[in-house]
Amino acid sequence: MQLTFLGTSAGTPSLQRNVSAIALTLSRRGDYWLFDCGEATQHQFMRSALKPGKLDKIFITHLHGDHIFGLPGLLTSRSMGGISEPLTLYGPAGLKTFVETTLSLSGSFVTYPLEVIEIEAGEVFDDGKFKVTAYPLNHVLPCFGYRIEEHDKPGFLDAQRLKAENVPRGPWFQQLKRGEVVTLEDGRVINGQDYLGPATPGRKLAIFGDTAPVATALELAAEVDVMVHEATLEAAMEEKANGRGHSTTVQAATVARDARAKRFIATHFSSRYRFEDMPRLLAECQAIFPATELARDFAVFNL
């Protein structure tokens, strides 16, 4: 799994950063999900290694322009590029109206199956491999953070032990690998759980939308491998940040510490900050949570 940051600026783009968009690559096949789609996200795709045809889902945190104004262009460009793979969008109430209205008024269309699912807090997706849960945040518009959990991978089947106990090979081995109970032709009942090694814990990450401090943050980010959280302003500007539904460096790092996250990646920086300001912001975060990194456009983080 990889996180690719396509935009790391807050509110407006700058010469160094585009607005919010994060891609989560799920497998070696290169299929991925997108979290938010700010203006010019499709331009950022062209400067990255990501392929539009591998995009499977888009999760929108909220309906502010710096998080959704790139959607119409991306959706229609997929069609013009001949991509026929289906795409599903998840996001707050109003997302479907936004998509339908912008496409209709601009005379645009898509030629692939497009589904828009308006969500509420709670589980929004589970395909048996990954589960995504939405948590409400504290912003000036309804806004969500997403917790992505990979299901645990079953341990390896002890084929040598089965052989030693005269359990013949057959199609039931696939059932045993899933931990199921199998009745053999000779009447013996074999419980696959008894022949599996320890499961491999799935990876967990939390991707926050815009938010001032909120109680649900600790549940959203509890013991995740990676927490992605906005750090719009420096610690000295806490009142301004919170008044606009945002967090400071110190507030975001405190969430990572208190939630017992393993790693914190800060993003969504005010366009007032240049690259030369970043060491100062990083120091504020690391004073609270040492395992902090700062995102920049096109940065790739391995999970």
Side-chain angles (χ1 to χ4, degrees):
M1 294 172 68
Q2 287 184 330
L3 281 170
T4 302
F5 286 79
L6 296 172
T8 57
S9 184
T12 61
S14 71
L15 291 175
Q16 298 178 331
R17 299 179 187 272
N18 198 49
V19 285
S20 293
I22 305 170
L24 173 63
T25 303
L26 301 169
S27 71
R28 294 179 181 177
R29 297 190 305 271
D31 50 321
Y32 63 96
W33 298 343
L34 186 66
F35 291 82
D36 287 332
C37 187
E39 178 185 353
T41 292
Q42 65 173 321
H43 289 260
Q44 301 292 85
F45 273 120
M46 292 188 287
R47 298 172 61 193
S48 77
L50 298 167
K51 305 299 181 184
K54 296 289 187 177
L55 175 59
D56 180 52
K57 301 183 188 302
I58 302 177
F59 295 87
I60 299 297
T61 61
H62 65 294
L63 301 185
H64 271 152
D66 58 317
H67 294 258
I68 65 167
F69 280 173
L71 270 177
L74 178 61
L75 297 179
T76 54
S77 289
R78 283 182 99 245
S79 287
M80 296 178 73
I83 297 170
S84 59
E85 297 299 317
L87 182 63
T88 306
L89 276 57
Y90 301 83
L95 178 60
K96 187 172 185 178
T97 297
F98 172 77
V99 171
E100 291 177 347
T101 300
T102 52
L103 294 182
S104 175
L105 291 178
S106 63
S108 303
F109 56 89
V110 296
T111 56
Y112 51 86
L114 175 65
E115 183 179 13
V116 181
I117 299 175
E118 295 186 340
I119 66 169
E120 297 180 350
E123 184 180 306
V124 299
F125 174 77
D126 191 339
D127 66 352
K129 294 182 179 178
F130 293 93
K131 180 175 74 170
V132 180
T133 307
Y135 288 80
L137 300 178
N138 178 14
H139 197 46
V140 296
L141 286 181
C143 185
F144 294 99
Y146 293 101
R147 181 181 176 94
I148 303 97
E149 298 174 279
E150 183 182 31
H151 287 278
D152 293 348
K153 297 178 181 178
F156 289 104
L157 187 67
D158 191 342
Q160 291 300 318
R161 182 182 162 200
L162 288 167
K163 180 180 180 181
E165 296 181 8
N166 296 316
V167 176
R169 284 188 170 274
W172 47 83
F173 263 45
Q174 291 301 319
Q175 294 173 265
L176 295 176
K177 287 180 181 179
R178 296 193 293 268
E180 298 175 4
V181 176
V182 172
T183 301
L184 302 179
E185 293 178 355
D186 61 9
R188 282 183 294 164
V189 177
I190 307 296
N191 187 345
Q193 293 288 348
D194 296 336
Y195 296 85
L196 292 177
T200 301
R203 289 159 289 188
K204 301 182 290 292
L205 63 153
I207 298 179
F208 282 72
D210 293 2
T211 189
V214 61
T216 54
L218 296 185
E219 184 180 358
L220 167 55
E223 299 182 346
V224 293
D225 296 288
V226 177
M227 182 188 89
V228 178
H229 196 296
E230 64 134 291
T232 303
L233 293 169
E234 61 196 283
M237 303 183 72
E238 178 179 309
E239 183 176 355
K240 182 174 183 178
N242 296 170
R244 297 182 178 180
H246 294 294
S247 296
T248 67
T249 50
V250 167
Q251 289 173 328
T254 299
V255 172
R257 181 196 66 192
D258 293 350
R260 300 183 300 280
K262 296 178 182 176
R263 190 176 174 194
F264 164 39
I265 303 173
T267 187
H268 198 270
F269 305 107
S270 168
S271 58
R272 72 177 60 220
Y273 299 118
R274 310 288 292 178
F275 285 160
E276 54 265 30
D277 299 311
M278 292 297 105
R280 176 165 54 87
L281 300 186
L282 179 61
E284 289 189 348
C285 290
Q286 290 184 335
I288 304 296
F289 188 77
T292 299
E293 301 163 87
L294 303 188
R296 61 190 295 173
D297 287 19
F298 306 111
V300 177
F301 298 87
N302 292 311
L303 278 67

